[in-house]
Amino acid sequence: MDIDVYKRYYEAACTFNGVKRKAAAVTLSSRSGGGEITYAVTVSFFPHRTKDDFAVSYDAYSEKILFSGKGRRSKKKEAVYLNSLTEAADEAANAIGGRIFWDKPLGEEQRA
């Protein structure tokens, strides 16, 4: 089962595959099954050509695994991972040459 624990869009900068990207979807997700769980931060940069354009393109995508092992979903673990979200997302963004502008969100955060 995949659950987006946290998701929010931010202004961003990245050029990937020759396309300029102006926004990023940042997600903390949990994937569980068979007594195993993985927590990961993902960043997906997309063009955001107009203020209403949230068509995320998944070619400019990067992921940082925060935990993978035995266990199940835990609100306590998720609180710790949310505290390190910006650092982990910045590492993922840097891996593909992108930058997230944390002080410029493009809407409200979504939590599960």
Side-chain angles (χ1 to χ4, degrees):
M1 178 188 311
D2 290 358
I3 296 173
D4 288 343
V5 175
Y6 170 93
K7 184 173 186 176
R8 194 168 197 182
Y9 299 96
Y10 292 90
E11 284 189 25
C14 183
T15 299
F16 195 84
N17 284 340
V19 178
K20 187 175 181 179
R21 319 298 170 111
K22 297 178 186 175
V26 177
T27 307
L28 170 64
S29 59
S30 69
R31 296 180 208 122
S32 62
E36 300 281 324
I37 190 156
T38 299
Y39 282 99
V41 171
T42 59
V43 178
S44 186
F45 291 93
F46 59 99
H48 195 58
R49 292 181 179 102
T50 67
K51 70 176 190 159
D52 298 325
D53 178 15
F54 288 90
V56 177
S57 51
Y58 290 97
D59 62 335
Y61 171 90
S62 185
E63 176 178 76
K64 179 169 176 61
I65 303 294
L66 302 177
F67 175 83
S68 186
K70 293 204 176 285
R72 58 183 155 184
R73 192 169 173 206
S74 161
K75 294 289 184 181
K76 189 181 273 188
K77 282 183 185 178
E78 289 172 6
V80 171
Y81 299 141
L82 282 168
N83 283 335
S84 63
L85 178 86
T86 56
E87 180 181 321
D90 282 340
E91 286 181 36
N94 288 337
I96 59 172
R99 183 170 169 219
I100 302 163
F101 302 115
W102 296 108
D103 59 338
K104 296 180 180 178
L106 297 172
E108 298 299 315
E109 66 183 39
Q110 302 163 21
R111 292 196 186 207

